[in-house]
């Protein structure tokens, strides 16, 4: 694993470089740089797996370096170095995808070892998952050379059927089914079988005939869940190559409509309403949500992205599918980081994500897993918040203040607080203040307005109103009663 260290303090750079080299022979420090721009130039020449960078540096800072580098090389993992005064910057860095941040004054060798081991494991899992969407494609020049050998003229009319999930005898079926056409060839590439039809006379090879041919094959091949993408066009060899790609685009819609059979390019072209850039924007929004791990929001945003991904324009399906799978792999990686000893990790990591349904299931599984893993520490955070309320109930306390103290989002903190105390934050604070007020009314000679102020209410009138609503009697009656 190749690692780069970027910090304007030479002692920090030397210590990190020496520590990393000492941890494992598998860790190679490829560079140590004082300036982010120097590091960026070095990345251009030799892309590292991990960049450990300071936040505050002259010129370009560490967050700018990370944002720029991840746009061009999203596979690079970043670890951020920070001081106490820069904590908000560290949280921002996590929102942009940093794996970890270290406080310079406290970081130790074991922490570095742990994070590098997690990154190394995550990289291994990503390599397994990448097979699902980084398969190589036939190059246009190679295809045209082959097509010329078939005798295709410049003005040929052509149609393409792209088959996925086909059995071994499908070629014989296609040979018989395509006998009505003068010219037909099959070729295979990365799990897809193509039937290429052409007519040098210019007579049309239309969608209707190809759809009939497809249904004939599907009828014969009932035992297989065949998926077929169909496209048709006319013109030069270059246009013929575009028809091959259009058939692929149509077939890729199977990802969003699991178990469906036939996809016609002409019909799908009218259905798409989203662009790949809109889907990527949704993905970036989810990355920002991960900074505070608001699980409910994360779950909602993930579900929304996966729904919008299926509305993609037909020529941009590859980008949308890529985002869906990257999201699933990202959540898987984060889940592993939170639960490194989970025995289910290996099985889940080995799965190939074939459709949107599997992506959704994997994402939700890992969000639930991470939420469960955080539960003990989050319960502790709520209990600390309760103690804070009991110590500071006289002061102006807000839900957002307590959420910040707990390093949780307000929405998630609110839900956890209610689950642990059986009351909402507002009800709990009011109840605690009024119980303390009743104690003062019963045991002291303090006036009503003084009691109200001592438990956090600025006006005696409002205090009396909610006191009566809560206890059924006024503060004055409470004093008389005692």
């Amino acid at each position: 694993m190749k690692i780069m260290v970027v910090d304007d303090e030479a002692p920090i750079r030397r210590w990190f470089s020496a520590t990393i080299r000492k941890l494992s022979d598998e860790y190679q420090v490829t560079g140590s740089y004082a300036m982010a721009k120097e590091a960026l130039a070095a990345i251009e020449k030799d892309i590292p797996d991990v960049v450990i960078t300071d936040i505050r540096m002259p010129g370009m800072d560490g967050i700018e370096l990370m944002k720029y580098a991840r746009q061009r090389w999203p596979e690079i993992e970043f670890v951020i170095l920070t001081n106490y005064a820069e904590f908000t910057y560290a949280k921002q860095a996590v929102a942009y995808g940093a794996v970890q941040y270290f406080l310079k004054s406290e970081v130790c060798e074991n922490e570095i070892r742990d994070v590098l081991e997690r990154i190394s494991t995550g990289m291994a899992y990503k390599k397994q998952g990448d097979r699902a969407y980084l398969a190589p494609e036939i190059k246009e020049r190679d295809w045209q050379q082959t097509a010329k050998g078939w005798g295709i003229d410049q003005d040929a009319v052509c149609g393409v059927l792209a088959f996925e999930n086909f059995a071994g005898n499908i070629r014989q079926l296609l040979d018989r089914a395509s006998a009505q056409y003068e010219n037909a060839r099959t070729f295979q590439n990365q799990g897809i079988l193509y039937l290429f039809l052409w007519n040098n006379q210019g007579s049309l090879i239309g969608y209707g005939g190809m759809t009939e041919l497809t249904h004939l094959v599907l009828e014969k091949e009932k035992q297989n869940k065949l998926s077929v993408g169909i496209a048709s066009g006319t013109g030069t060899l270059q246009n013929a190559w575009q028809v091959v790609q259009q058939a692929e685009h149509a077939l890729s819609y199977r990802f969003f409509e699991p178990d469906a059979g036939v996809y016609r390019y002409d019909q799908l072209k009218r259905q798409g309403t989203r662009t790949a850039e809109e889907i990527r924007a949704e993905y970036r929004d989810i990355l920002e949500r991960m900074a505070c791990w608001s699980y409910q929001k994360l779950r909602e945003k993930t579900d929304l992205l996966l729904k919008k991904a299926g509305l993609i324009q037909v020529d941009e399906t590859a980008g949308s599918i890529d985002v869906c799978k990257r999201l699933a792999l990202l959540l898987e990686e984060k889940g592993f980081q939170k639960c490194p000893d989970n025995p289910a990790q290996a099985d889940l990591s080995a799965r190939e994500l074939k459709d949107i349904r599997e992506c959704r299931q994997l994402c939700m599984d890992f969000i639930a897993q991470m939420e469960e893993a955080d539960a003990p520490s989050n319960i502790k955070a709520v209990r600390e918040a309760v103690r804070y309320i009991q110590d500071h109930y006289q002061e102006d306390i807000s839900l957002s203040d307590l959420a910040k103290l707990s390093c949780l989002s307000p929405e998630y903190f609110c839900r956890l607080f209610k689950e642990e105390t059986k009351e909402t934050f507002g009800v709990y604070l009011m109840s605690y203040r009024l119980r303390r007020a009743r104690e003062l009314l019963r045991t002291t000679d303090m006036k009503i307005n003084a009691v109200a102020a001592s438990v956090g209410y600025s006006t005696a009138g409002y205090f009396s109103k909610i006191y009566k609503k809560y206890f059924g009697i006024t503060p004055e009656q409470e004093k008389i009663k005692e």
Side-chain angles (χ1 to χ4, degrees), residues 17 37 82 91 100-101 106 110 113 135 167 177 180-181 194 208 307 322 331 370 408-409 411 456 473 475 481:
S17 298
K37 287 187 176 179
T82 181
K91 291 181 69 175
Q100 179 73 41
Y101 63 85
E106 296 182 0
N110 286 339
R113 177 188 290 108
Q180 59 185 296
Y181 295 98
Y194 300 87
K307 286 177 180 176
D322 178 78
L331 288 172
M370 288 182 282
L408 300 172
S409 70
E411 298 90 347
I473 59 174
K481 177 180 171 185

Side-chain angles (χ1 to χ4, degrees), residues 309-447:
L311 302 175
I312 197 69
Q313 293 176 9
V314 67
D315 290 343
E316 299 194 55
T317 50
S320 182
I321 292 170
D322 178 78
V323 169
C324 293
K325 292 185 175 181
R326 285 183 186 277
L327 174 59
L329 291 171
L330 174 67
L331 288 172
E332 179 185 29
E333 181 187 358
K334 297 297 183 185
F336 177 75
Q337 290 172 5
K338 284 187 179 290
C339 311
D341 298 325
N342 188 341
Q345 289 286 342
D347 293 336
L348 289 171
S349 299
R351 277 200 315 195
E352 288 194 5
L353 300 171
K354 295 179 180 177
D355 55 50
I356 197 81
R357 182 173 50 198
E358 288 193 8
C359 273
R360 177 177 280 105
Q361 186 63 53
L362 187 63
C363 288
M364 297 310 171
D365 284 351
F366 274 100
I367 291 173
Q369 177 182 301
M370 288 182 282
E371 189 170 22
E372 184 178 346
D374 275 349
S377 61
N378 289 339
I379 290 172
K380 181 181 177 183
V382 170
R383 290 173 181 170
E384 288 176 352
V386 167
R387 284 195 290 272
Y388 185 89
I389 291 172
Q390 294 171 354
D391 292 340
H392 300 271
Y393 64 93
Q394 307 97 328
E395 304 170 13
D396 185 17
I397 306 173
S398 70
L399 174 68
S400 59
D401 290 337
L402 287 180
K404 284 181 181 178
L405 287 172
S406 305
C407 292
L408 300 172
S409 70
E411 298 90 347
Y412 188 43
F413 174 81
C414 183
R415 183 159 64 88
L416 284 173
F417 192 93
K418 187 172 182 180
E419 288 175 359
E420 180 67 11
T421 65
K422 311 305 178 187
E423 293 179 321
T424 64
F425 160 76
V427 170
Y428 184 90
L429 177 61
M430 178 191 72
S431 173
Y432 189 80
R433 283 172 166 171
L434 293 177
R435 282 184 275 122
R436 293 305 301 269
R438 183 170 62 176
E439 185 181 336
L440 292 173
L441 290 169
R442 289 178 174 181
T443 59
T444 71
D445 294 329
M446 292 174 64
K447 294 185 177 181

Side-chain angles (χ1 to χ4, degrees), residues 438 442 471 473-482:
R438 183 170 62 176
R442 289 178 174 181
F471 289 115
I473 59 174
T474 65
E476 290 82 1
Q477 291 170 329
E478 187 77 67
K479 287 186 81 65
I480 293 170
K481 177 180 171 185
E482 291 302 315

Side-chain angles (χ1 to χ4, degrees), residues 22 75-76 122 229 295 343 394 470:
K22 185 171 65 174
E75 67 275 14
I76 299 177
Y295 289 106
Q394 307 97 328
Y470 190 80

Side-chain angles (χ1 to χ4, degrees), residues 122-142:
M123 286 169 57
Y125 283 162
K126 280 183 179 179
K127 286 177 181 177
Q128 291 180 7
D130 281 351
R131 290 200 303 266
Y133 62 100
L134 295 179
E137 298 177 354
I138 293 176
K139 298 291 186 285
E140 180 178 358
R141 182 182 302 173
D142 298 336

Side-chain angles (χ1 to χ4, degrees), residues 95 280-290 298 301:
R280 283 192 288 269
E282 293 284 340
Y283 178 68
R284 289 192 290 270
D285 187 28
I286 288 177
L287 291 182
E288 293 178 4
R289 296 284 175 181
M290 285 186 183
L298 187 60
K301 286 286 183 180

